[in-house]
Amino acid sequence: MTLKPQLADVFEDRHNAPGADEQAAMLRAIGVSSIEQLIDETVPPAIRLKRPLELPAALSERAFLAKFKQIASQNQVFKSYIGLGYHDTTLPPVIQRNILENPGWYTAYTPYQAEIAQGRLEALINYQTMIIDLTGLEIANASLLDEGTAAAEAMHMLHSQTKKKGAHQYFVSEQVLPQTIDLLRTRATPVGIELVVGDHRQIDLSGEGFFGAMVQYPAADGEVFDYKDFIAQARQHNVFVVMGADLLALTLLTSPGELGADVCVGNSQRFGVPMGYGGPHAGFFSCKDQFKRVIPGRLIGQSIDAAGNKAYRMALQTREQHIRREKATSNICTAQVLLSVLAGMYTVYHGPQRIQQFAVNTHSLAQTLEAGLKKLGVEQTNENYFDTLNLRLESAELQQALRKEAEAARINFRYFDEVRVGISLNQNTELHDVNDILDVFAKVLGKEADAVELAQELELTWPKSLIRTSEYLTHPIFNTHHAEHEMLRYMKQLENKDLSLAHSMIPLGSCTMKLNATTEMIPVTWAEIGGLHPFAPVEQAQGYQQIFSDLQAWLCEVTGFAAVSLQPNSGAQGEYAGLLAIKGYHDARGDHHRNVALIPASAHGTNPASAVMAGMQVVVVKSTEDGNIDVADLKAQTVKHAANLSCLMVTYPSTHGVYEETIIDICNLIHEHGGRVYMDGANMNAQVGLTSPANIGADVCHLNLHKTFCIPHGGGGPGVGPIGVVADLAPYLPGHAVVPVEGRTEGSVSAAPWGSASILPISYAYISMMGGDGLKRATEIAILNANYIKARLEAHYPVLYTGSHGRCAHEMILDCRHFKKAGIEVEDIAKRLMDYGFHAPTVSFPVAGTLMVEPTESESKDELDRFCDAMISIRKEIAAVESGQADAKDNLLKHAPHTAATVLTNEWTRPYTREQAVYPMEYVRANKFWPTVSRIDSAYGDRNLICSCTPIEQYADQEEELVQADKGPSY
């Protein structure tokens, strides 16, 4: 035996699933001799890269973790008392291990197929209930991207709802969080809203110009104001009021709803989610019932299934911008589901008493600290506060001396107004921390600090009007699972209701549900990644700065662009940021009139919604019968709008799964008429290493790191949507008012300067372990897998669009519209796939009545074959209906999905067997996934909207029914 040493631990071999033999078999089925031939027949030669990607050599998993540990160790985790919406907290280990680190939770997709998403839907109902209870309002959504985004969404929503003609002014208290004010400025200007920032105690809202106002509770400097009079004045003049609030403080403070607010927004980060240098965190949004039809983001509601059982679903989906497009009032396409689940589970586990005790402890320690500082002669100026002291020092020199001494003790405070210091305590603050803080002050002041002790009892000295007396978190779900064993079982019970990548492939077109490798996920929970405050001094975050620098350079190489911003924390926010960069470019040249965005009819729904939010006029470009952009119509529209042309928004490969061969000519046409080209990067998975946005002529592109670059979808979020731009657009990338980004201090699109920083290590790991060649091969295998599925299914389901050689890109559209003649809808196929153990492909997008399939490079031939076998079997079931062999209404597809309860009844009256219902193929027997509810009645849920946990009264009614049943008929 000859020994030939070579590298055995190659990450690419684990990410790109099909081995050499499988690839050969798939190529034969497709009818090509090599992957090179397939790529040549798929990707137009004119757009191919002329050189390989210049990226660092691929690392093994072990080598990557060792290197990344060194990078992360450059971050210094200080005790941060900076506040401003970010606080140290503790995620209970039982939740960290069983949700955050559990692929059963983090690899699931957005719950559009509700029957196989009941677990996380229930978790989101818990979250919504928690927000409703604490804020005292009637409706809450299933989270937004962060507090700043939530505040901006509230502003837009209220602007659309005002009945005051010509009202375009929005008052913002100067005590609103500075990052929120920054983001509000970004979002107000393009749509003609005038932001008026000032003192809420002095503003006169009687003018006809004001439609809304926002205040902070507690304020940015920690003061707790009583806003009742302010809200009464606003109501008198038909001005809506938004309150930015702190969830922990609301356990002790009178709720915004009780004060009369219309909307409440904030950040649920301090409910167990690490600071993570800025994110991801779930922004919350609650409002009065009157806004339920226009509330941004996703709303989880309760409905019933076909058997009449309670079931959860995404409610009022007609609000989604994929349907409303340019008529949408929001471009929000996602939520922070995984983070919402964490915050909700934190509340379930701790319950109202323990969470309130966290608040009591935090406030008590703040009182204790104030008393200790007073003895040292330090002035504290907040009359009423919850967790934050506002200190006024004698000089700017003293402030600088204090900062130097505090940082030497590994402590961060907030420093502002030259002589001001803010100290915000948190759940994890203990008495010894208070004494450490006092020691720092004592050293700077040249005094001795007496060790303070926490009094056995302290008084809440707020005015009675500010002290909460109403109950909250009274539902049994928040008062049951406080023992770890009970909590563990509850989370497992919910996990078992959801299908994720841990069960089978999720073949969603345009969503790229690829492998989220364990090694990529490991650093996310490291303290060096999770423990940093986003406004900590940059010198303390040198590890993060290296991550940002490397990742930006690598993404520039992949896209061909000159600069990248990592700030946008979703794909839709990336779209918006990219359009603002184009707008900034035109404005800087004096071309303020250039506001027309040409958008193909086939574009993602967020494209027109983002364009409208950026202040642009949307002009739709037709598609041809073969699904491509109608170049003749594009030319006509370009000439017609040449004087005002801002940009073209285009997805490449197209949303129809085709590399359009005219793309370079299209980009040149736009440039010739003074416009810029925005490329939607949703399908970047089919470009990396083969072509690039810059290579096709685009000027700006957003990248979905939760698609192409492996950040998991988390059941509907988090995501990251960085943008890359050509050199002359770089000056218009997002900045940040609190922590400048490459010198830019305005134009933020996220609350934190680098957005959802703590999940960037996932993409960093993916690129590090794949290297340039591995990334290119991933693209090739994605195209191979897609064309293999096409080869197997096209005889059973027509493939709607292909390129000139009959090839699809990384995804394809299966046409199911002709089944309607037999009464079979595409939804029936989606639900029947659940019985086969699969999540449906993308339903009715971008073409109604179709399925868009994307297998990704991470799926093996065996898994692709299981999916194809299932689809072919379902086609035979449809054929039985078409031929009359199966009843048009009483058949396997119309009754799908089949639950265990459905088939375990004593009487079985359906015209097919129980075995056909639940074991349609032999492989299903070995690994059966049981949907827990039958098909859900969406219309019923919209007519009878319930978006919080079942009222306690209903439980009481059920108990009474059981009592009567136990007493028997003779009672």
Side-chain angles (χ1 to χ4, degrees):
M1 176 181 179
T2 302
L3 300 179
K4 184 180 179 182
Q6 61 183 16
L7 186 64
D9 185 14
V10 179
F11 174 76
E12 180 198 332
D13 295 342
R14 299 188 177 102
H15 179 84
N16 294 331
D21 292 343
E22 289 183 317
Q23 291 180 34
M26 288 192 285
L27 291 167
R28 287 194 296 272
I30 294 168
V32 292
S33 60
S34 65
I35 285 183
E36 289 72 24
Q37 181 187 348
L38 174 63
I39 300 304
D40 287 343
E41 293 180 3
T42 304
V43 185
I47 67 168
R48 295 287 295 275
L49 294 178
K50 302 299 188 288
R51 62 171 179 81
L53 294 176
E54 294 181 4
L55 294 170
L59 298 174
S60 68
E61 293 175 80
R62 183 173 62 86
F64 165 75
L65 287 174
K67 177 185 176 183
F68 199 78
K69 194 67 176 178
Q70 291 180 331
I71 295 173
S73 67
Q74 297 177 61
N75 292 332
Q76 301 178 64
V77 184
F78 285 18
K79 290 282 182 75
S80 281
Y81 303 107
I82 299 170
L84 295 179
Y86 302 95
H87 305 269
D88 196 15
T89 184
T90 297
L91 178 62
V94 66
I95 299 175
Q96 176 172 318
R97 174 62 57 87
N98 293 286
I99 292 184
L100 180 58
E101 298 175 354
N102 182 351
W105 284 90
Y106 67 68
T107 70
Y109 182 59
T110 305
Y112 286 116
Q113 297 298 333
E115 293 84 355
I116 50 175
Q118 287 298 293
R120 95 196 78 116
L121 286 167
E122 180 173 328
L124 291 174
I125 281 281
N126 294 343
Y127 175 82
Q128 289 180 176
T129 305
M130 178 260 287
I131 298 300
I132 288 169
D133 280 9
L134 290 176
T135 62
L137 287 158
E138 297 143 317
I139 298 286
N141 67 17
S143 81
L144 290 174
L145 302 174
D146 55 35
E147 180 165 357
T149 305
E153 292 294 333
M155 177 180 69
H156 279 290
M157 182 188 81
L158 297 177
H159 190 221
S160 74
Q161 296 301 297
T162 185
K163 295 179 181 177
K164 297 171 69 173
K165 291 185 179 179
H168 300 297
Q169 288 181 309
Y170 191 69
F171 172 74
V172 181
S173 167
E174 60 196 7
Q175 284 284 7
V176 166
L177 301 178
Q179 68 269 25
T180 298
I181 296 176
D182 186 25
L183 205 150
L184 286 171
R185 284 199 174 100
T186 301
R187 296 279 290 268
T189 304
V191 292
I193 294 174
E194 179 189 351
L195 224 59
V196 178
V197 180
D199 189 335
H200 77 274
R201 294 164 294 189
Q202 298 177 6
I203 188 69
D204 180 3
L205 297 175
S206 62
E208 285 302 306
F210 286 106
F211 70 89
M214 182 177 178
V215 293
Q216 196 80 34
Y217 185 60
D221 68 2
E223 183 73 49
V224 178
F225 294 105
D226 187 340
Y227 292 113
K228 269 192 175 178
D229 291 343
F230 175 82
I231 293 172
Q233 180 204 167
R235 176 162 284 104
Q236 181 183 353
H237 299 296
N238 297 315
V239 174
F240 296 118
V241 175
V242 178
M243 291 182 70
D246 182 298
L247 286 182
L248 191 62
L250 292 183
T251 65
L252 298 177
L253 283 169
T254 301
S255 72
E258 292 171 286
L259 293 174
D262 297 286
V263 179
C264 183
V265 299
N267 185 352
S268 55
Q269 177 268 317
R270 75 186 306 173
F271 274 27
V273 182
M275 290 184 288
Y277 206 46
H281 308 129
F284 67 80
F285 188 113
S286 61
C287 59
K288 292 181 175 177
D289 184 73
Q290 71 192 76
F291 302 114
K292 66 186 175 188
R293 301 276 165 182
V294 292
I295 185 173
R298 290 172 178 157
L299 190 68
I300 308 306
Q302 179 181 310
S303 187
I304 57 174
D305 72 357
N309 300 312
K310 180 179 74 175
Y312 300 115
R313 56 179 281 275
M314 285 172 57
L316 306 176
Q317 288 188 49
T318 53
R319 300 170 307 112
E320 293 255 317
Q321 65 293 111
H322 280 288
I323 297 169
R324 291 182 55 81
R325 299 176 71 80
E326 68 271 16
K327 294 183 176 66
T329 56
S330 168
N331 75 334
I332 292 292
C333 180
T334 187
Q336 297 281 27
V337 170
L338 189 64
L339 295 314
S340 306
V341 169
L342 293 178
M345 288 300 182
Y346 175 95
T347 312
V348 169
Y349 189 44
H350 287 308
Q353 288 79 24
R354 194 181 297 161
I355 288 178
Q356 187 184 70
Q357 193 61 57
F358 290 151
V360 168
N361 293 350
T362 301
H363 181 63
S364 299
L365 286 169
Q367 283 194 21
T368 303
L369 177 59
E370 181 188 28
L373 289 168
K374 188 175 182 180
K375 286 183 179 180
L376 290 172
V378 180
E379 181 184 6
Q380 198 285 123
T381 61
N382 283 339
E383 180 181 0
N384 299 303
Y385 58 85
F386 166 60
D387 62 358
T388 300
L389 306 182
N390 184 356
L391 311 177
R392 180 160 49 206
L393 304 182
E394 294 178 358
S395 67
E397 291 77 16
L398 187 59
Q399 186 198 64
Q400 291 305 310
L402 178 71
R403 178 171 187 164
K404 182 177 181 181
E405 187 63 42
E407 290 179 3
R410 301 180 67 83
I411 292 174
N412 289 324
F413 301 135
R414 180 190 177 206
Y415 305 96
F416 59 109
D417 292 350
E418 291 192 339
V419 296
R420 291 282 183 173
V421 177
I423 303 178
S424 298
L425 305 187
N426 54 67
Q427 170 197 340
N428 289 345
T429 305
E430 297 180 6
L431 187 60
H432 68 83
D433 296 309
V434 170
N435 281 307
D436 289 344
I437 293 170
L438 292 172
D439 284 343
V440 169
F441 277 85
K443 287 179 182 178
V444 173
L445 296 169
K447 298 181 179 181
E448 286 289 329
D450 295 329
V452 296
E453 303 232 352
L454 187 61
Q456 292 298 311
E457 289 186 11
L458 291 167
E459 290 297 321
L460 195 54
T461 59
W462 303 337
K464 286 186 177 180
S465 60
L466 289 175
I467 299 174
R468 183 161 194 157
T469 58
S470 58
E471 292 186 311
Y472 51 86
L473 304 179
T474 57
H475 192 275
I477 199 64
F478 302 114
N479 296 276
T480 306
H481 306 295
H482 300 164
E484 181 167 329
H485 232 150
E486 287 299 311
M487 188 67 188
L488 175 66
R489 289 167 180 157
Y490 177 61
M491 292 185 293
K492 190 64 179 178
Q493 172 196 344
L494 296 189
E495 179 193 344
N496 289 343
K497 296 180 179 182
D498 284 20
L499 188 142
S500 70
L501 284 175
H503 297 92
S504 57
M505 69 180 286
I506 300 180
L508 285 150
S510 189
C511 288
T512 317
M513 297 293 292
K514 62 166 70 179
L515 170 70
N516 314 122
T518 305
T519 298
E520 295 161 5
M521 302 298 296
I522 286 173
V524 170
T525 56
W526 289 353
E528 302 95 324
I529 298 299
L532 273 69
H533 192 289
F535 304 152
V538 172
E539 304 80 55
Q540 296 172 19
Q542 289 307 296
Y544 262 119
Q545 294 305 313
Q546 181 176 339
I547 293 167
F548 301 154
S549 176
D550 288 347
L551 195 52
Q552 286 170 322
W554 298 344
L555 294 178
C556 282
E557 174 65 13
V558 166
T559 60
F561 286 134
V564 164
S565 168
L566 300 171
Q567 189 182 112
N569 52 8
S570 80
Q573 296 308 98
E575 287 177 9
Y576 180 69
L579 292 172
L580 288 186
I582 292 173
K583 186 179 188 315
Y585 166 83
H586 287 310
D587 288 349
R589 293 161 57 90
D591 292 339
H592 303 282
H593 58 283
R594 286 193 174 271
N595 68 341
V596 171
L598 302 179
I599 303 180
S602 63
H604 285 90
T606 53
N607 287 181
S610 295
V612 169
M613 290 181 61
M616 296 180 181
Q617 176 190 343
V618 173
V619 174
V620 177
V621 178
K622 297 176 183 176
S623 295
T624 62
E625 287 188 6
D626 60 4
N628 294 329
I629 294 172
D630 187 328
V631 176
D633 185 54
L634 176 65
K635 287 180 178 178
Q637 298 288 4
T638 302
V639 171
K640 179 180 178 181
H641 298 285
N644 299 315
L645 180 62
S646 173
C647 62
L648 167 74
M649 297 186 77
V650 61
T651 302
Y652 200 79
S654 75
T655 310
H656 293 150
V658 175
Y659 292 90
E660 296 185 49
E661 299 187 7
T662 56
I663 188 63
I664 292 178
D665 294 336
I666 287 171
C667 293
N668 288 338
L669 174 68
I670 300 302
H671 291 150
E672 287 166 9
H673 289 83
R676 308 307 292 260
V677 177
Y678 172 91
M679 197 202 90
D680 185 314
N683 294 339
M684 193 67 196
N685 198 41
Q687 285 199 45
V688 180
L690 297 180
T691 183
S692 72
N695 211 45
I696 68 170
D699 300 291
V700 56
C701 167
H702 88 265
L703 303 169
N704 299 86
L705 298 193
H706 48 289
K707 294 183 180 182
T708 303
F709 295 95
C710 289
I711 293 175
H713 282 64
V720 182
I723 55 170
V725 295
V726 292
D728 60 353
L729 294 183
Y732 313 106
L733 290 174
H736 198 272
V738 181
V739 181
V741 180
E742 296 174 6
R744 299 185 298 272
T745 58
E746 56 186 25
S748 67
V749 296
S750 300
W754 288 279
S756 293
S758 69
I759 53 175
L760 293 177
I762 301 170
S763 299
Y764 191 100
Y766 174 62
I767 297 172
S768 295
M769 294 187 292
M770 291 290 280
D773 292 342
L775 291 176
K776 178 186 177 184
R777 279 189 287 271
T779 307
E780 293 172 340
I781 299 300
I783 294 169
L784 171 67
N785 282 2
N787 280 277
Y788 176 66
I789 286 182
K790 174 181 173 293
R792 285 212 57 195
L793 293 185
E794 60 189 346
H796 307 278
Y797 300 86
V799 174
L800 206 51
Y801 306 113
T802 58
S804 57
H805 294 281
R807 307 298 178 202
C808 65
H810 63 306
E811 61 189 4
M812 78 216 74
I813 298 175
L814 303 180
D815 194 353
C816 304
R817 292 173 292 186
H818 55 291
F819 300 144
K820 281 191 171 187
K821 296 176 184 177
I824 300 298
E825 303 287 344
V826 68
E827 181 187 28
D828 300 322
I829 300 172
K831 304 308 180 188
R832 181 58 175 153
L833 270 169
M834 297 176 191
D835 291 328
Y836 286 79
F838 284 104
H839 193 292
T842 303
V843 176
S844 287
F845 176 81
V847 180
T850 66
L851 293 171
M852 184 160 60
V853 182
E854 179 180 355
T856 86
E857 68 275 12
S858 300
E859 301 299 344
S860 66
K861 179 177 179 295
D862 284 347
E863 186 70 359
L864 301 182
D865 282 333
R866 275 190 289 273
F867 172 72
C868 291
D869 291 344
M871 290 295 293
I872 293 167
S873 178
I874 290 172
R875 181 63 185 94
K876 292 175 182 176
E877 294 171 354
I878 296 171
V881 177
E882 291 172 323
S883 68
Q885 181 182 348
D887 186 83
K889 295 182 179 179
D890 193 5
N891 59 62
L892 286 160
L893 288 105
K894 288 295 182 184
H895 288 307
H898 297 83
T899 65
T902 301
V903 297
L904 292 176
T905 55
N906 290 330
E907 293 186 21
W908 180 257
T909 59
R910 295 182 180 176
Y912 50 86
T913 68
R914 301 176 206 241
E915 186 175 44
Q916 288 175 311
V918 299
Y919 295 131
M921 301 195 77
E922 193 60 32
Y923 78 81
V924 180
R925 292 180 182 274
N927 193 27
K928 176 65 180 175
F929 179 86
W930 290 97
T932 52
V933 296
S934 301
R935 194 173 308 192
I936 295 172
D937 187 334
S938 296
Y940 176 92
D942 285 350
R943 290 194 306 270
N944 305 277
L945 182 64
I946 299 173
C947 68
S948 60
C949 294
T950 306
I952 295 176
E953 292 77 16
Q954 185 167 330
Y955 280 87
D957 292 343
Q958 291 172 354
E959 288 176 5
E960 179 61 26
E961 290 173 8
L962 290 172
V963 169
Q964 297 298 334
D966 287 344
K967 290 179 178 177
S970 62
Y971 176 72

